[in-house]
Structure formats: C-alpha cells, structure tokens
Amino acid sequence: YVVGRIRSAARRKAQGKPPRPPDTSSPFLFAIPAFCDVFGSGLASVGMMFIPAAVWQMMRGSLIIFTSILTVVVLKRQLQTYHWVSVGITICGLVCVGWAAIADSREDHSAGHSVVATVTGISFVLVAQITAAFQYVLEEYMLQGMRLSAKKTIGMEGFWGIVYMSVMVLAMNYLPSSD
C-alpha cells in the first residue's frame, strides 16, 4: 500500500496533477468486513459437516439472493426486472435442493445425515451466506460511497483476518479435547 501511494504520488506529480489528500480512515473500520469473512467461512465449514458437499455447494448460491436484497436495502439501488427474475429462479432452485436434501435424509440414514442435522447444516450455510452478503455490500459501500482505496481495503482486511485467526488458533490450542 505504501509503495503504491509513493508511486502514485510520483506519477501524479510528473503529470502536473495535485497530490491526493491523505486517507484518514480508521484501520478499525476494516475489522468489520474481515470479521464477516472469518465468521462466515467458519460457519459455512461447520454447516458442511452436517450436509453432503453437493448440497453445501449449491446452497452457497443463496449469496445471490441475500446480496441482491442488501444492495436494495442498504445501498438504495434499484434492480432491474431481469435481476429479480434471476433471484426468483435461484430461490426456486435452492428450495428444490433443500427439499431434496431433507427428503433424502428421511429415507437414507446410512450416510449419517438425519433430518435435524440436514436442516441445521442448511441453516448454517444460509446464515454464512447472509454474513458474506453483508460483507460484500459493506465493502462496496466502503469503496464507492466512502471512496477508500481498494488496495488499502484488501490489505487491512487481510491484516484483520490474520489477527482474528491468530487469536482463534491460540484459543483452540488451549481448549480441552480428546485428540
């Protein structure tokens, strides 16, 4: 980030443009989307333990639905009719996948997937996708609405992700377990 700012300043000076004003955004601002990323990834991974991998992968398509809704609600954007038709088709597909997974878990207990486990796994994946949609919409707001640097946004989110994961790994190291 720092090297990019120096190169950008030199390039702007060579072109006769005034330097960009310094970025005064708080580094703590980027902790929110980083937390959403870590939390959503963890929750989706837990959900995968309860449902087949194919169902997990298809249920991740719900991100389209939640991102569309949050874009309208938070960013105040209007989606075109074909966007809403696509969201509707996605909802129909996900209902079919979820229903089939639940019906399959009722019939076949040999795979170790009960109805309660399947519903729990699907719920975890859906909450994870809501968290990811919130992260994406927040990042878009930060990049477009607040006019923050994309490089700084990615770098600071990576920094906060490392901090969160380091704390979690240290905490997990001291948890009692049978391993």
Side-chain angles (χ1 to χ4, degrees):
Y1 171 75
V2 174
V3 173
R5 289 283 295 184
I6 292 170
R7 290 180 63 195
S8 176
R11 187 172 42 248
R12 290 180 70 82
K13 185 176 181 180
Q15 294 172 347
K17 296 180 181 177
R20 288 193 177 138
D23 186 2
T24 59
S25 62
S26 170
F28 295 102
L29 176 67
F30 302 99
I32 299 167
F35 176 78
C36 290
D37 189 24
V38 171
F39 180 73
S41 297
L43 202 58
S45 298
V46 170
M48 190 177 188
M49 294 188 319
F50 296 109
I51 56 177
V55 174
W56 178 81
Q57 187 65 37
M58 287 184 271
M59 293 308 288
R60 289 184 61 213
S62 64
L63 182 63
I64 296 167
I65 300 163
F66 301 125
T67 304
S68 298
I69 292 169
L70 286 174
T71 297
V72 170
V73 172
V74 176
L75 298 178
K76 308 289 188 225
R77 289 199 187 141
Q78 291 195 356
L79 298 181
Q80 302 296 322
T81 305
Y82 64 90
H83 292 131
W84 289 115
V85 169
S86 301
V87 168
I89 292 170
T90 304
I91 290 171
C92 291
L94 292 175
V95 166
C96 290
V97 168
W99 188 266
I102 292 169
D104 189 42
S105 66
R106 283 185 185 150
E107 295 173 9
D108 185 19
H109 295 288
S110 63
H113 298 289
S114 69
V115 174
V116 173
T118 301
V119 171
T120 302
I122 290 172
S123 300
F124 279 175
V125 173
L126 292 177
V127 172
Q129 297 313 301
I130 291 170
T131 305
F134 178 76
Q135 174 196 354
Y136 296 157
V137 171
L138 179 61
E139 287 172 345
E140 186 166 346
Y141 175 75
M142 289 167 61
L143 292 172
Q144 300 292 323
M146 297 175 67
R147 300 225 173 269
L148 297 178
S149 164
K151 291 177 185 174
K152 182 176 182 180
T153 301
I154 297 301
M156 290 304 296
E157 280 185 35
F159 167 77
W160 283 108
I162 290 170
V163 169
Y164 289 141
M165 291 306 296
S166 298
V167 169
M168 287 174 46
V169 165
L170 285 172
M172 286 182 204
N173 186 44
Y174 294 105
L175 288 176
S177 67
S178 61
D179 289 341

